[in-house]
Amino acid sequence: MIYHQMDANEAAKSLHTNTKTGLSTKMADERRKKVGRNELSEGEKQSAILLFFSQFKDFMVLVLLAATLISGLLGEYVDAVAIMVIVLINGLLGFIQESKAEKSLQALKNLSAPKVNVLRDGRWMKIDSKDAVPGDILKLSSGDRVGADMRIIVSNNLEIEESALTGESIPAQKHSDLILEENPSLGDLNNMAFMGTMVTRGNGIGIVTATGMNTAMGKIAGMIQTAETIMTPLQRRLDQLGKILITVALLLTVAVVLAGIFHGHDIYTMFLAGVSLAVAAIPEGLPAIVTIALSLGVQRMIRKNAIVRKLPAVETLGCASVICSDKTGTMTQNKMTVTHLWGGGKTWTVAGSGEFFAQDKKIEVEREKTLYQLLTFGTLCNNAEIKMSGKELNVDGDPTEGALLIAGAKAGIDKKSLLGQFLIEKEYPFDSARKMMSVIVKGPSGERFVITKGAPDVLSLKSDAILWEGKQKALSGQLMQEVQGAVKQLASMALRTIAIAYKPLRGPIPERAEDVEKNLTLIGLQGMIDPPRPEVKAAVAECKRAGIKTVMITGDHVETACAIASQLGILSNGAKETKVMDGRRLNELSVKDLETVVEDISVFARVSPEHKLKIVNALQNKGHIVAMTGDGVNDAPAIKAADIGIAMGITGTDVAKEASSLILLDDNFATIKAAIKEGRNIYENIRKFIRYLLASNVGEILVMLFAMLMSLPLPLVPIQILWVNLVTDGLPAMALGLDQPEENVMQRNPRHPKEGVFARGLGWKILSRGFLIGVVTLAAFVIVYHRNPNDLPYAQTVAFATLVMAQLIHVFDCRSEISIFSRNPFENKYLVWAVISSALLMFIVIYVPVFQPIFHTVAVEPRDWLLILGLSAVPTFLLAGTFFSRKRK
Ligand code: ATP
């Protein structure tokens, strides 16, 4: 159907909808049943069975399967079945881990599901975009992602960027007129908006004409479905490291096998030992556990209200050295309340509570002409609405505008009744670059006038007159100074200031805001308080201890910003001269100039969104890892350029969210700190299990290598090695991935982003502990074997038990960068249970008769447990408190 050729009424009629009330919920539900959800269908998903079998594609698993086959062919059925079972269990674990990771990714996707603003049953409401149906009336605002294909019926400077569809990156100006051209191209349909494109300016309303796969985007959906998985830098480094480790492990394995054969062991045993050793020693499971640790960390972050959109951000978070944060709503509560008004040299204060819609107040205020105009115009040039739910009063819309409405209401000025007399003919929406908003109003006697409200320093430049004692006077000299003084005074009380101006309008309504917002007459100011969030001060201090600087970036007045920054500990007393910069100064500086001072600045005030990019670039050039918050369309480039781009979950636009790597569900600065702490912890946890797994592998290889070099019998049988690899290594390593952060995790400087996997002594710890694990296992074997050389299985069982126990003790050491004694060993419940179950399983394998022939074990006498426990404690306790016991700064 050709909706672009129909006018709004025809389009509404043909889609059986009403542009004033929208669809009813019932009708919408019925339509959804008919046309389906408003979603692009996803590509084929990997089935569970395929996922299960994909676990066996791994090279080392194939080697194991080959070994099973050879054992079977040689008639060693017990070995063959045992290996088979282990391979299956391994596969099953891998399958569970991967489907868990898959599910958490899906959950993430659902969390960031887009919403649309829809008119249903005569009320505007936010619903999931997937629930929109043809005929729905949708509102579009700057920063929104268009939720469906639509015929535009109202456009206030609406501009939409359609590059996803047309490749054209310059936004198209949208209007509501007819397009009669036959077969216009998609890019020419400027009275239509298309699903998946982005509103970059203005606002508007449209009727949904197509949803889901019927949209223009749906028709090309197949082409754009890319399910790329991005590796984090650590994962990439581990991938490379894995290749080196495989080579080393294989070489050592070959050495063990050759030495064994040379010393007279039979070829089959040595083959199986070699295969088992290779499987055990190669950390092929490492990347998988890293992914799990990352995705579990991501889930923990969600619980703390931070959604990670790009996995690499988890790691980068731990390196962040500067957080550039918006003030309003992130550091403050965004609960604006007008407390002071100023006009014509007079100041009025607003009482805290006050009865709403009180008529007598109105009469009182009406006598004060300027005050009355300030409040009335603040109410008319306003998109917010006051809603009463029971006794609760809620503001729907921008809190700044809500505050103006409430200030009016306190004086008995009510928006609804004003709109009965005044008609809003056009709106020039607010944007953070202009810092103003205007409306064209038609009064009761047909006269037209402009109301503009915005940042006082901007608005006073656009005004050439001021209302002073009821008269219009030129705004210059002394009067200008009066205005500036009043602004400064309100701002130094931490108040956000809004100036209100007007002018009569003759002639046609101009299209562009610039043509309206000039030659205005200033009426006065409204100052509103927005208290800081109580938790932010402590979060700023904690970041400081963690070597992370907090920088406040705000569109507000310098004085307002400084007052709040001082309250939050961002700005110390007396530092205003050197640590604060405003937008005007930023304009003058090039990025290069900015670099020389940027590290000193703690507050950037009166900035426009494009300044943010400059700040990010300057900080990055100074070697900082920058986290930058933002919410509007114009913030997107800075969010993208930052190392960690952070978008606001509540006030953030879709455009900002899509550019970001982290979304704050509660818009709260303290959540950034929590995410950084979690990011640091995840990285440390990954280091912990790398340390644990590799030290275990080193131990396993060395015990075999030393034994073969010393011409001893095999200290461990192949199936025992496999068992250690699967059970003793796997569960505790997973539990380390869930470990709590160390106390000092936020007391050290950020990690260097290029830091290697084995940095900060990790390589040494792995080698020294691994070496000792190998030595004590061999010692246990040698001692028992020499006592009774005729009972090899007994000596092997003791060696097996020592290896397991040495690892199970060592795992507690891996929890700390400092020393095993610096942490409570029972703190990590998962680890305690993993260790208990691994130990129990070891006892079962040693003492339960049915397992003994499979694992070549025999019951160990109680007195030998003293030997086993004594030796297995050595690798951990011998070095504890000696190496690396100093605290890292
Ligand atoms: P922050 O960066 O701290 O979050 P902000 O981005 O909210 O601040 P802006 O929204 O850009 O800052 O506001 C800058 C200035 O514009 C405010 O100080 C105020 O004077 C003015 N202003 C804010 N909202 C409106 C609005 N809805 N209409 C008119 N002027 C506004």
Side-chain angles (χ1 to χ4, degrees):
M1 238 174 283
I2 32 181
Y3 293 104
H4 60 273
Q5 291 182 337
M6 301 179 189
D7 68 20
N9 286 337
E10 283 171 335
K13 214 163 147 200
S14 99
L15 286 157
H16 306 286
T17 186
N18 180 323
T19 52
K20 296 274 171 302
T21 58
L23 296 175
S24 68
T25 308
K26 195 164 150 254
M27 267 159 93
D29 289 343
E30 277 162 13
R31 289 192 191 188
R32 200 174 315 107
K33 266 186 213 131
K34 240 187 251 158
V35 296
R37 284 186 180 285
N38 179 28
E39 290 175 314
L40 300 181
S41 66
E42 301 214 354
E44 285 288 297
K45 273 215 194 115
Q46 197 176 22
S47 74
I49 296 178
L50 268 180
L51 184 66
F52 179 68
F53 280 109
S54 72
Q55 303 301 318
F56 302 98
K57 284 196 314 233
D58 191 85
F59 172 67
M60 289 326 292
V61 175
L62 291 179
V63 172
L64 258 186
L65 287 175
T68 319
L69 190 73
I70 294 174
S71 310
L73 290 177
L74 292 174
E76 301 284 345
Y77 299 119
V78 179
D79 278 356
V81 170
I83 299 176
M84 201 60 211
V85 170
I86 288 183
V87 170
L88 275 177
I89 296 179
N90 211 353
L92 201 68
L93 279 183
F95 169 72
I96 293 172
Q97 289 173 350
E98 269 196 39
S99 29
K100 200 168 171 169
E102 178 94 355
K103 271 206 196 100
S104 59
L105 286 181
Q106 190 57 42
L108 267 188
K109 234 169 129 189
N110 293 344
L111 258 180
S112 43
K115 303 247 185 244
V116 289
N117 208 343
V118 68
L119 183 65
R120 289 259 177 93
D121 305 311
R123 281 191 313 123
W124 287 104
M125 55 177 91
K126 282 223 152 142
I127 58 166
D128 282 343
S129 163
K130 63 178 193 299
D131 292 331
V133 292
D136 264 335
I137 310 294
L138 298 191
K139 201 184 259 177
L140 293 175
S141 304
S142 163
D144 284 353
R145 175 180 265 278
V146 178
D149 284 4
M150 291 189 256
R151 167 72 167 87
I152 308 283
I153 54 171
V154 175
S155 162
N156 290 312
N157 292 350
L158 185 65
E159 286 185 16
I160 299 185
E161 198 253 306
E162 300 181 324
S163 62
L165 269 181
T166 60
E168 175 57 60
S169 60
I170 299 170
Q173 298 195 350
K174 297 289 176 178
H175 57 75
S176 53
D177 305 338
L178 295 186
I179 294 178
L180 293 172
E181 200 181 320
E182 286 297 326
N183 298 326
S185 71
L186 220 55
D188 294 331
L189 287 175
N190 283 334
N191 60 5
M192 301 282 296
F194 300 101
M195 182 191 212
T197 57
M198 298 286 189
V199 182
T200 52
R201 227 181 135 188
N203 57 34
I205 294 175
I207 310 176
V208 173
T209 55
T211 56
M213 293 307 277
N214 296 325
T215 59
M217 190 61 99
K219 298 202 175 110
I220 59 163
M223 288 184 258
I224 53 164
Q225 270 168 16
T226 45
E228 49 173 337
T229 40
I230 308 168
M231 275 201 190
T232 73
L234 179 69
Q235 281 178 309
R236 239 177 287 132
R237 245 176 277 151
L238 280 180
D239 215 40
Q240 287 155 5
L241 177 76
K243 292 193 182 105
I244 301 172
L245 289 179
I246 287 180
T247 320
V248 175
L250 281 180
L251 285 177
L252 285 173
T253 306
V254 171
V256 171
V257 172
L258 291 180
I261 295 172
F262 181 74
H263 285 113
H265 291 291
D266 75 280
I267 295 182
Y268 170 71
T269 312
M270 284 322 294
F271 162 73
L272 219 50
V275 169
S276 316
L277 202 55
V279 171
I282 290 170
E284 80 282 355
L286 206 55
I289 306 191
V290 171
T291 311
I292 303 278
L294 286 171
S295 71
L296 287 177
V298 166
Q299 284 174 23
R300 275 201 303 275
M301 285 199 199
I302 294 178
R303 264 176 259 139
K304 292 180 182 150
N305 286 330
I307 296 186
V308 173
R309 288 191 64 248
K310 294 172 189 154
L311 209 52
V314 179
E315 270 173 44
T316 328
L317 270 171
C319 308
S321 58
V322 181
I323 308 173
C324 298
S325 169
D326 285 342
K327 172 181 74 67
T328 311
T330 314
M331 294 185 163
T332 63
Q333 301 179 12
N334 216 357
K335 288 194 184 130
M336 310 267 180
T337 316
V338 173
T339 58
H340 292 72
L341 294 105
W342 178 93
K346 252 184 161 179
T347 306
W348 299 274
T349 51
V350 183
S353 51
E355 318 84 87
F356 297 105
F357 312 110
Q359 279 308 317
D360 54 336
K361 284 263 164 89
K362 187 170 175 185
I363 296 161
E364 218 171 88
V365 170
E366 268 178 2
R367 279 195 215 118
E368 294 269 7
K369 204 86 194 137
T370 313
L371 177 61
Y372 182 67
Q373 263 182 330
L374 260 181
L375 292 167
T376 316
F377 287 2
T379 305
L380 276 173
C381 182
N382 198 315
N383 274 320
E385 266 172 56
I386 298 179
K387 288 207 169 131
M388 299 290 289
S389 47
K391 280 201 165 160
E392 277 276 307
L393 179 126
N394 288 315
V395 167
D396 201 3
D398 179 1
T400 302
E401 300 193 337
L404 299 178
L405 282 192
I406 290 179
K410 281 178 179 170
I413 296 165
D414 163 36
K415 188 175 175 186
K416 265 207 190 105
S417 45
L418 277 186
L419 287 181
Q421 310 165 42
F422 297 95
L423 176 70
I424 310 288
E425 292 189 311
K426 184 162 175 80
E427 179 193 327
Y428 304 87
F430 173 77
D431 74 55
S432 297
R434 262 172 49 246
K435 298 191 172 50
M436 287 183 287
M437 164 187 172
S438 301
V439 285
I440 307 272
V441 182
K442 197 171 187 180
S445 43
E447 78 284 12
R448 260 198 196 132
F449 58 101
V450 176
I451 306 175
T452 304
K453 73 179 199 303
D457 28 346
V458 182
L459 210 57
S460 52
L461 294 179
K462 305 277 177 193
S463 306
D464 45 22
I466 182 167
L467 277 189
W468 200 269
E469 289 160 359
K471 290 192 199 81
Q472 191 155 332
K473 295 200 173 167
L475 180 59
S476 58
Q478 176 66 24
L479 289 186
M480 186 60 120
Q481 271 175 23
E482 292 270 353
V483 174
Q484 284 165 352
V487 172
K488 195 161 178 188
Q489 219 219 318
L490 295 184
S492 60
M493 293 190 279
L495 304 184
R496 159 177 274 221
T497 45
I498 297 275
I500 294 173
Y502 82 114
K503 71 170 177 190
L505 182 74
R506 281 169 214 102
I509 298 176
E511 242 338 282
R512 298 174 339 143
E514 299 84 290
D515 300 330
V516 177
E517 292 163 346
K518 59 182 184 190
N519 310 117
L520 297 162
T521 300
L522 194 70
I523 303 171
L525 308 169
Q526 297 211 25
M528 51 190 77
I529 190 85
D530 176 20
R533 288 177 182 266
E535 60 279 28
V536 171
K537 192 172 181 186
V540 169
E542 195 172 344
C543 286
K544 199 169 179 185
R545 282 195 294 276
I548 306 163
K549 183 177 170 185
T550 306
V551 176
M552 175 190 278
I553 298 191
T554 175
D556 264 345
H557 195 276
V558 175
E559 294 289 339
T560 315
C562 289
I564 302 269
S566 310
Q567 288 175 21
L568 292 175
I570 295 172
L571 199 65
S572 47
N573 288 339
K576 223 165 93 181
E577 298 307 313
T578 51
K579 294 193 178 270
V580 182
M581 188 180 277
D582 70 0
R584 236 172 314 154
R585 181 91 188 99
L586 265 171
N587 271 339
E588 293 162 9
L589 297 181
S590 69
V591 174
K592 266 255 147 319
D593 298 334
L594 184 57
E595 270 171 40
T596 55
V597 289
V598 71
E599 286 178 301
D600 294 330
I601 308 290
S602 300
V603 175
F604 289 96
R606 272 290 184 252
V607 295
S608 300
E610 48 295 355
H611 291 138
K612 288 187 170 180
L613 185 60
K614 217 175 195 178
I615 299 169
V616 169
N617 289 340
L619 283 166
Q620 283 176 332
N621 292 351
K622 290 300 267 181
H624 285 284
I625 301 294
V626 186
M628 169 65 87
T629 67
D631 45 17
V633 190
N634 303 338
D635 290 335
I639 295 181
K640 232 184 219 153
D643 301 276
I644 306 148
I646 304 173
M648 300 299 141
I650 304 170
T651 55
T653 54
D654 295 343
V655 176
K657 285 182 191 163
E658 281 180 32
S660 70
S661 43
L662 190 77
I663 297 178
L664 306 181
L665 283 180
D666 55 0
D667 291 11
N668 190 341
F669 177 84
T671 304
I672 307 178
K673 184 227 59 189
I676 287 184
K677 185 169 179 185
E678 196 56 65
R680 286 189 176 194
N681 187 38
I682 293 172
Y683 191 85
E684 290 309 315
N685 283 353
I686 292 175
R687 274 169 61 91
K688 288 176 197 169
F689 61 70
I690 289 180
R691 171 175 166 191
Y692 172 67
L693 284 178
L694 293 190
S696 301
N697 291 353
V698 169
E700 286 154 27
I701 290 198
L702 288 187
V703 64
M704 297 294 278
L705 185 66
F706 290 157
M708 294 304 100
L709 292 177
M710 289 161 66
S711 187
L712 289 167
L714 278 183
L716 296 164
V717 293
I719 197 81
Q720 290 167 352
I721 299 176
L722 283 180
W723 176 260
V724 171
N725 180 42
L726 178 73
V727 179
T728 320
D729 287 2
L731 289 179
M734 289 286 300
L736 279 179
L738 296 169
D739 208 19
Q740 292 83 353
E742 256 188 291
E743 229 170 68
N744 66 350
V745 75
M746 287 300 266
Q747 282 160 24
R748 31 173 125 133
N749 284 336
R751 194 179 78 241
H752 193 279
K754 294 224 165 67
E755 177 186 289
V757 182
F758 298 123
R760 291 184 267 138
L762 198 77
W764 168 250
K765 280 182 190 155
I766 290 170
L767 287 179
S768 56
R769 271 45 165 207
F771 175 79
L772 284 177
I773 291 174
V775 168
V776 294
T777 308
L778 192 67
F781 176 75
V782 171
I783 293 168
V784 179
Y785 181 64
H786 277 294
R787 209 170 57 201
N788 187 1
N790 296 327
D791 197 354
L792 180 60
Y794 189 82
Q796 285 171 328
T797 310
V798 169
F800 169 64
T802 311
L803 179 64
V804 171
M805 289 313 298
Q807 294 190 358
L808 292 185
I809 296 172
H810 175 232
V811 74
F812 289 100
D813 191 25
C814 297
R815 291 186 61 223
S816 172
E817 293 267 326
I818 303 160
S819 141
I820 188 169
F821 301 117
S822 68
R823 303 199 68 179
N824 170 5
F826 302 109
E827 195 183 4
N828 181 346
K829 300 269 177 313
Y830 301 106
L831 186 62
V832 172
W833 282 113
V835 167
I836 291 177
S837 35
S838 291
L840 265 181
L841 287 167
M842 174 193 68
F843 283 118
I844 291 173
V845 163
I846 293 179
Y847 288 104
V848 177
V850 283
F851 292 111
Q852 287 175 338
I854 302 172
F855 288 92
H856 304 268
T857 48
V858 281
V860 173
E861 288 169 31
R863 66 175 175 134
D864 282 327
W865 278 105
L866 276 182
L867 176 77
I868 293 168
L869 290 176
L871 281 174
S872 53
V874 170
T876 299
F877 292 105
L878 183 69
L879 299 178
T882 56
F883 292 98
F884 308 100
S885 54
R886 41 207 149 90
K887 273 197 177 188
R888 277 192 320 115
K889 277 270 168 284

